[in-house]
Amino acid sequence: MATRTICFPISGYPYCREQPVTFTWIKGSKRQNIRAVHDAVHTTDPDVSILEVSSASVQPEGEAVSSLRLLLHLDSVAQDVPISTVFEATKVFEHGGPFADLLTCEPPKVHKDTRLRTSGELLRYSLEGNEYPTEPYMDSFFEWLYCRALKQFPEKAEPLSRYNAFSDIAAAADSKKYYGDSSRAAAIYVGLAAAGKLSCIDSYELFIAEVYTEPKPLPKSGKSEAASKMTPEVSAPAKETPADELPQPDNANAEVIPDAAQMEHILELPKATCLLLSLAKNAGLSANSSSELTYKGKEFLLDAYQIALKNKTLQINIQKNKITFPMEEPDSGFHAVGVLTRSPAWEYGWKFNYLTENTSGAEKSEVKEKNPSEAFDRIGASGTLWV
């Protein structure tokens, strides 16, 4: 017997409902196994319209969106690259990667590359100068790539809306070797489309915030408790708080400045992971895994903020609704300025970023800025977190 997961799109968080299906496995016959999976689903629900999204699919629209066929345009190589290739080529291991040379190889050659199996533990992904973590959401990077590709090629995405369930025979529920589950990614895309949320695909951070972050229940007033405490009430899409709505300096400053506990809560949000990872990397911190490095980035940021609170080195610019504070790592010579910008447009009323003054001893990367709404303004020398 074997098990596969059927993914059903839903028009709200988490945009995908999963249901395991057990069936009798027939060795060497993918199409017969696909038929067995679909028959098992129809046994309990005959009205389900299910699409197999793999290269073995007998449904043309399903084969077209398999990870081997679905393409993603990459500016770095000026061509369209299969999702499966992008996913493998961007892996960073203990002893190698990313292997950018694979981006121009045919998929069969990519999957046979021994470096993908002999380079040690998978640490993170690196794509076009940006880095993406493997934790805490192992599937998120593949799903984001897949959804990006569907958004780039709407003619392939449109037929998916005619189905209410997806399967991927290659994605074994108990497999120790992970290649990405196209059925879950397809269901998430259809769910986001139904909810009118496709714009979140434009950046990894927004995708994580939408798909992996459970919405907080709203009070009767229709706004979150945290937002109601920290931001003025707004009746339209929020703009930055006018300067005259901010408390004035001196005695009023305590009402403006987030305390250390609020900052720590903000940094626990899933969307903070990439920012903290880049900060730790730029600060020259070392760790054995990406999750440990992210934790060190959080500690570094909180320590810098608490020192600034204690030493009263926070700089408050009432006119620009900004608070700045110094961040330093003496061992690496890293110097940066943390910036908090007040605005009710974000969940916790603030936008946080950091700008480096000196990256001596820290790793740099050059990234072209394409859109200010992306996850970070510049992942190598600066970062942005909307909170």
Side-chain angles (χ1 to χ4, degrees), residues 123-192:
L123 301 179
R124 60 187 179 277
Y125 302 96
S126 180
L127 175 62
E128 297 189 321
N130 291 341
E131 295 198 343
Y132 306 91
T134 58
E135 299 175 354
Y137 310 113
M138 181 182 72
D139 302 333
S140 61
F141 182 64
F142 175 85
E143 291 163 359
W144 178 60
L145 291 177
Y146 191 97
C147 288
R148 275 184 63 188
L150 286 175
K151 191 174 182 184
Q152 284 184 1
F153 297 94
E155 69 278 6
K156 289 191 174 183
E158 191 277 330
L160 301 185
S161 62
R162 299 196 288 268
Y163 296 88
N164 56 16
F166 300 94
S167 62
D168 180 358
I169 198 65
D174 57 351
S175 175
K176 294 181 180 180
K177 186 174 289 187
Y178 176 70
Y179 293 110
D181 186 343
S182 298
S183 61
R184 177 175 159 81
I188 289 174
Y189 182 90
V190 173
L192 288 171

Side-chain angles (χ1 to χ4, degrees), residues 40-365:
V41 174
H42 290 142
T43 298
T44 57
D45 192 345
D47 295 327
V48 168
S49 178
I50 186 170
L51 177 68
E52 168 70 20
V53 284
S54 74
S55 57
S57 179
V58 296
Q59 299 155 288
E61 60 270 47
E63 182 183 12
V65 293
S66 72
S67 61
L68 294 172
R69 303 282 188 272
L70 183 60
L71 304 178
L72 177 68
H73 183 77
L74 296 179
D75 292 335
S76 58
V77 291
Q79 67 183 53
D80 300 336
V81 184
I83 290 297
S84 62
T85 297
V86 178
F87 185 62
E88 298 297 340
T90 56
K91 290 180 177 179
V92 179
F93 300 92
E94 288 178 294
H95 310 299
F99 304 117
D101 57 295
L102 295 179
L103 292 173
T104 55
C105 295
E106 293 297 319
K109 183 177 179 180
V110 172
H111 292 289
K112 291 179 181 178
D113 195 298
T114 58
R115 293 175 296 176
L116 298 172
R117 297 182 293 278
T118 61
S119 298
E121 179 187 356
L122 178 63
L123 301 179
R124 60 187 179 277
Y125 302 96
S126 180
L127 175 62
E128 297 189 321
N130 291 341
E131 295 198 343
Y132 306 91
T134 58
E135 299 175 354
Y137 310 113
M138 181 182 72
D139 302 333
S140 61
F141 182 64
F142 175 85
E143 291 163 359
W144 178 60
L145 291 177
Y146 191 97
C147 288
R148 275 184 63 188
L150 286 175
K151 191 174 182 184
Q152 284 184 1
F153 297 94
E155 69 278 6
K156 289 191 174 183
E158 191 277 330
L160 301 185
S161 62
R162 299 196 288 268
Y163 296 88
N164 56 16
F166 300 94
S167 62
D168 180 358
I169 198 65
D174 57 351
S175 175
K176 294 181 180 180
K177 186 174 289 187
Y178 176 70
Y179 293 110
D181 186 343
S182 298
S183 61
R184 177 175 159 81
I188 289 174
Y189 182 90
V190 173
L192 288 171
K197 299 286 189 176
L198 290 181
S199 60
C200 78
I201 299 171
D202 294 340
S203 85
Y204 177 77
E205 181 187 80
L206 293 177
F207 182 79
I208 292 295
E210 184 65 44
V211 176
Y212 281 90
T213 307
E214 184 174 5
K216 294 183 178 180
L218 293 175
K220 293 182 180 179
S221 62
K223 58 190 296 187
S224 71
E225 182 178 352
S228 64
K229 288 182 179 179
M230 297 186 63
T231 62
E233 184 174 354
V234 291
S235 56
K239 299 179 181 179
E240 281 203 353
T241 308
D244 57 7
E245 292 186 23
L246 274 173
Q248 296 303 308
D250 302 321
N251 294 337
N253 283 348
E255 298 180 19
V256 181
I257 304 169
D259 60 26
Q262 288 173 319
M263 279 293 288
E264 184 168 7
H265 183 63
I266 286 168
L267 297 179
E268 289 174 352
L269 293 173
K271 60 185 177 180
T273 301
C274 289
L275 176 76
L276 296 174
L277 185 64
S278 77
L279 177 61
K281 188 171 148 185
N282 283 328
L285 305 180
S286 60
N288 296 322
S289 66
S290 59
S291 59
E292 183 182 346
L293 192 60
T294 301
Y295 180 77
K296 286 192 174 184
K298 176 182 176 182
E299 281 191 325
F300 172 64
L301 177 53
L302 287 174
D303 286 346
Y305 190 69
Q306 289 174 326
I307 290 172
L309 286 173
K310 180 180 179 180
N311 297 339
K312 298 183 179 179
T313 53
L314 292 174
Q315 300 293 320
I316 302 176
N317 187 322
I318 297 298
Q319 285 69 38
K320 293 185 178 181
N321 300 332
K322 290 184 183 294
I323 298 172
T324 60
F325 59 95
M327 299 191 297
E328 299 181 355
E329 173 52 51
D331 292 341
S332 65
F334 175 79
H335 297 276
V337 175
V339 183
L340 284 168
T341 305
R342 183 179 173 88
S343 172
W346 298 286
E347 181 179 359
Y348 286 97
W350 296 95
K351 179 178 76 172
F352 172 76
N353 71 352
Y354 71 93
L355 301 173
T356 59
E357 297 177 346
N358 178 9
T359 55
S360 176
E363 183 174 345
K364 298 180 184 179
S365 61

